[in-house]
Amino acid sequence: MTMQNPAVAMPVPPPLDPPPPGPASDCPVTRYLGRSPVEAAMGFSVTHCDHITRLEQPWRPHLCEPGSRRLDCGALIIAADHAMGHHISRSTPTPGAATTLNLRLDWHVDLSPYAGLSVVPRVVLLHAGVATATADIRALDDGGLVATATGAFLVGRFPGNRTSADVGAPLDLPPVRSTADLPDFAAFLGCVTEEERLHLPPSPDFVGMRHVGAFHGGISGALAEYATRPLIDAWRGDSPLRRVSFEIRYLKPCFVSDALTCRAAILRQGRTMCVAATDLWQRGAPDAPNVTAVSTSVRVDT
């Protein structure tokens, strides 16, 4: 007698409805929230055509690694988070709600000096109020694959389970500061080091959702990645370094009315690989972090 498998295949959540083609200004989210201050401060643009979202980040001195003419990894984190969130927001029936829950970047190669980047989200699935997306990060000049991003986003709701009616009108923010005289990404962030901790002062340039008044998820991610670098540099010594992956989890909003404090530590280290972790918190509460992140790197000469 032939036994039948009693297991029932679970239905696959259908993709979100594809958005109509057109520029980003046609997006109901853009009309509802206005342009993100981070979008203006970074200098990138978001366009939509044939159901494809594309973010372009031209090369800018204030987005470069300190002492280098290569775009900082933090700039890639911000661009990936913004591109996927914007694509999900455009594809979601409820305007304006796409809050990052987690984000991961897998690095492949370094960008060349003076090269810009582009981000194109590739997959969006919606299930139980959470949308997942992946994206390719490529060099703007030759299209070479630099990194791959994946993320999960809360849709249809703002942080704290609020709706658009609960959060009120967008914040009235001052114009974005000029970045013409900023030499690198560290100056753009403007972090202050104190007792082995980094403090990111509040800035309207770093606001993501203007209704919520919270730090852009990419900004807090970039800060977390930046905080691990002194520890990883001390571990590698004179050896060349290759970044492998960066993962970040957003536990609660980081409101831009308060400074962000960041502390990094080595979780595991060996001859070849180093894993560093970071916690970000506000209002003197390190035991209740807003954001946690893990960065993995390897030496390439071992």
Side-chain angles (χ1 to χ4, degrees):
M1 182 175 64
T2 303
M3 297 295 293
Q4 294 184 348
N5 188 346
V8 178
M10 296 298 292
V12 178
L16 297 178
D17 292 335
S25 59
D26 292 340
C27 175
V29 176
T30 304
R31 294 197 303 267
Y32 183 70
L33 293 178
R35 193 182 188 202
S36 167
V38 168
E39 195 171 313
M42 294 287 290
F44 53 56
S45 61
V46 184
T47 57
H48 306 281
C49 183
D50 296 331
H51 313 319
I52 295 175
T53 300
R54 179 184 178 90
L55 180 148
E56 291 190 358
Q57 173 65 76
W59 182 87
R60 295 286 188 272
H62 73 283
L63 302 180
C64 289
E65 296 175 351
S68 169
R69 296 294 85 187
R70 179 183 293 114
L71 289 185
D72 195 276
C73 288
L76 275 69
I77 293 168
I78 297 170
D81 179 69
H82 194 82
M84 290 192 292
H86 206 292
H87 184 59
I88 288 171
S89 295
R90 182 175 170 83
S91 307
T92 302
T94 303
T99 305
T100 316
L101 298 175
N102 60 60
L103 181 69
R104 175 186 171 104
L105 269 74
D106 290 287
W107 313 107
H108 305 311
V109 299
D110 289 331
L111 272 172
S112 300
Y114 301 101
L117 62 88
S118 68
V119 185
V120 178
R122 293 187 290 119
V123 177
V124 178
L125 294 175
L126 175 64
H127 180 64
V130 174
T132 55
T134 65
D136 287 340
I137 303 174
R138 297 183 178 274
L140 197 55
D141 51 359
D142 61 8
L145 185 62
V146 175
T148 303
T150 58
F153 297 77
L154 183 69
V155 299
R157 289 169 288 166
F158 287 96
N161 205 30
R162 294 175 294 174
T163 66
S164 57
D166 299 324
V167 296
L171 296 177
D172 186 13
L173 300 173
V176 171
R177 61 181 161 155
S178 172
T179 58
D181 58 347
L182 297 178
D184 53 36
F185 191 70
F188 172 66
L189 289 179
C191 298
V192 177
T193 304
E194 180 181 321
E195 296 180 353
E196 299 183 351
R197 297 177 179 179
L198 281 178
H199 300 277
L200 181 64
S203 171
D205 298 357
F206 299 152
V207 171
M209 290 185 181
R210 295 178 64 243
H211 280 66
V212 179
F215 280 93
H216 190 281
I219 290 288
S220 54
L223 174 65
E225 195 277 335
Y226 186 76
T228 65
R229 295 185 195 179
L231 299 178
I232 294 174
D233 286 343
W235 162 77
R236 69 168 174 140
D238 296 330
S239 301
L241 181 74
R242 182 186 183 280
R243 294 179 177 92
V244 176
S245 65
F246 177 76
E247 302 175 72
I248 182 167
R249 292 174 176 84
Y250 300 86
L251 306 178
K252 55 186 176 180
C254 303
F255 292 105
V256 79
S257 55
D258 296 297
L260 265 176
T261 302
C262 184
R263 177 177 56 199
I266 298 293
L267 286 183
R268 295 286 187 274
Q269 64 180 16
R271 178 174 174 79
T272 302
M273 186 173 71
C274 179
V275 181
T278 317
D279 285 342
L280 279 71
W281 66 87
Q282 292 185 297
R283 299 183 180 181
D287 296 330
N290 300 57
V291 175
T292 63
V294 175
S295 181
T296 303
S297 303
V298 297
R299 290 190 180 110
V300 298
D301 61 351
T302 57

